[in-house]
Amino acid sequence: MRPLTVEGAWLLEPVLHRDERGSFHEWFRQPELRAATGRDFPLAQANFSISRRGSVRGIHFADVPPGQAKYVTCVRGTVLDVIVDLRTGSPTYAQWEAVRLDDHHQAVYLAEGLGHAFAALTDDAAVVYLCSTGYAPHREYGIHPLDPRLAIEWPPDITPVLSHKDSTAPTLTEAEDLGILPSYAQCISWYQTEGGTHERSSSIPHGGPSLP
């Protein structure tokens, strides 16, 4: 795993073992993630989405604490995965990085407080992501993925297709005014709190399925 330019995000580039049957790789290993990030990853929920070409999902984030760390991979097709630093006071605040997830089977880990989005570059793009906390609508938010202040460079050859939720999400400036963004200080404190890790792994809120 190697760190990305947005602090708190890492990219896994796995070794693929190929033979006449196909290929095999390890897409998640707790010891490797801990060695890279210094943190455990308590699994509370796993999500699976299928998107047609041009679909943009996000930018999604959650209150910290407890937030929601994610571990994301694309199992079919290709997506442009985007990580956005929404932690006010962070040295990389309002910065973003995009990575292509495809049949090379990369995976992205992003810590609590970071925003996540992706665009499907192929039809039937299938994305799987592990979550450190369960779906909790009362503490989950979004930022408009086409916010000109963030100026995310979505592929020019697609026409973004957004859900109603994402198309009506506030801009980053509006989110600042609403006071819904996590602070960098809160996130750092949470990352360093062993009690927080325990709470995330033992408390899974009830609710309907999240539609990222």
Side-chain angles (χ1 to χ4, degrees):
M1 297 186 72
R2 63 177 177 85
L4 298 175
T5 57
V6 172
E7 181 185 327
W10 283 262
L11 176 69
L12 171 72
E13 297 173 307
V15 176
L16 302 184
H17 304 278
R18 301 182 186 274
D19 61 21
E20 63 276 8
R21 300 168 298 172
S23 69
F24 172 87
H25 71 281
E26 297 173 333
W27 79 279
F28 175 79
R29 296 185 71 241
Q30 182 71 271
E32 184 174 354
L33 187 140
R34 170 166 271 284
T37 68
R39 306 184 61 220
D40 287 323
F41 184 84
L43 175 60
Q45 183 169 318
N47 297 332
F48 187 103
S49 68
I50 299 176
S51 306
R52 69 180 179 90
R53 187 176 186 275
S55 297
V56 174
R57 297 178 184 258
I59 307 163
H60 300 147
F61 67 101
D63 282 334
V64 180
Q68 188 180 69
K70 295 178 180 177
Y71 192 82
V72 186
T73 192
C74 182
V75 297
R76 183 179 65 219
T78 304
V79 301
L80 186 71
D81 200 79
V82 179
I83 303 97
V84 186
D85 194 343
L86 301 176
R87 303 165 300 184
T88 58
S90 166
T92 53
Y93 177 66
Q95 295 181 27
W96 58 271
E97 183 168 0
V99 294
R100 185 182 177 97
L101 303 181
D102 52 27
D103 58 5
H104 289 90
H105 304 297
Q106 309 92 325
V108 170
Y109 168 80
L110 56 152
E112 298 91 335
L114 295 179
H116 180 251
F118 67 83
L121 305 185
T122 58
D123 281 327
D124 295 326
V127 173
V128 174
Y129 44 107
L130 311 179
C131 303
S132 64
T133 57
Y135 176 65
H138 61 283
R139 65 176 189 232
E140 297 187 11
Y141 306 94
I143 301 294
H144 200 295
L146 306 183
D147 182 356
R149 178 178 168 189
L150 291 173
I152 296 172
E153 296 176 5
W154 300 109
D157 60 339
I158 67 168
T159 300
V161 179
L162 309 180
S163 69
H164 174 73
K165 173 184 173 182
D166 291 340
S167 66
T168 58
T171 64
L172 182 64
T173 299
E174 290 169 339
E176 291 171 343
D177 294 339
L178 291 169
I180 61 175
L181 298 174
S183 77
Y184 184 64
Q186 284 177 316
C187 291
I188 293 300
S189 176
W190 184 248
Y191 302 159
Q192 296 171 347
T193 301
E194 291 300 323
T197 300
H198 174 75
E199 180 181 333
R200 288 199 305 273
S201 61
S202 61
S203 176
I204 303 175
H206 296 286
S210 177
L211 296 178

